């Protein structure tokens, strides 16, 4: 009876027992408005796992590129940290293993 069981699994009609042990994939939630989000709102999203620091950094870099270089070409941001994504990844790993260090843990900042 192995063949019919494999056929039922392949067709998705039954679920093997080991499949129930795999955690469901994280459903990404849209990032908050990058202009209006407070640090507390960003931390709440990071704590809840709605997004990661890496995703947040990528969103801010994309926004900087959109406004600074492609759109109105404001050139208000002279330079971004080339290791920002790697740093965000390290902070995400630290958050998972040890928890956040402070209210700014994993939050991108822009100095002017």
């Amino acid at each position: 009876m192995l063949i019919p069981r494999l056929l039922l699994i392949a067709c998705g009609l039954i679920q093997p027992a080991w499949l129930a042990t795999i955690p469901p994939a994280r459903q990404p939630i849209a990032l908050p408005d990058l202009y209006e989000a407070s640090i507390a709102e960003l931390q709440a999203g990071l704590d809840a796992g709605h997004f990661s620091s890496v995703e947040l950094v990528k969103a801010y870099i994309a926004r900087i590129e959109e406004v600074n270089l492609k759109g109105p070409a404001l050139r208000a941001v002279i330079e971004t940290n080339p290791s920002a994504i790697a740093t965000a990844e390290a902070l995400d790993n630290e958050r998972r293993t040890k928890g956040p260090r402070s209210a700014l843990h994993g939050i991108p900042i822009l100095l002017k």
Side-chain angles (χ1 to χ4, degrees):
M1 289 295 158
L2 183 60
I3 299 296
R5 183 165 174 78
L6 289 176
L7 184 60
L8 290 173
I9 290 171
C11 292
L13 298 174
I14 63 171
Q15 180 177 345
W18 59 266
L19 193 56
T21 63
I22 298 173
R26 176 174 62 95
Q27 295 298 316
I29 293 178
L31 291 167
D33 181 357
L34 298 180
Y35 283 124
E36 300 295 327
S38 68
I39 291 171
E41 290 170 323
L42 294 176
Q43 275 300 344
L46 289 168
D47 288 340
H50 295 317
F51 48 84
S52 67
S53 294
V54 169
E55 292 166 328
L56 197 55
V57 166
K58 286 180 179 180
Y60 274 108
I61 288 174
R63 183 65 184 147
I64 289 168
E65 288 175 356
E66 179 184 326
V67 174
N68 205 45
L69 304 173
K70 297 176 186 169
L74 298 176
R75 306 234 185 270
V77 178
I78 298 169
E79 184 177 348
T80 57
N81 183 348
S83 63
I85 293 173
T87 301
E89 192 172 276
L91 290 169
D92 282 336
N93 289 333
E94 184 177 329
R95 176 184 294 277
R96 277 190 294 277
T97 58
K98 299 177 184 175
R101 281 188 257 166
S102 71
L104 289 177
H105 188 101
I107 303 291
I109 60 168
L110 177 69
L111 302 176
K112 298 224 20 147

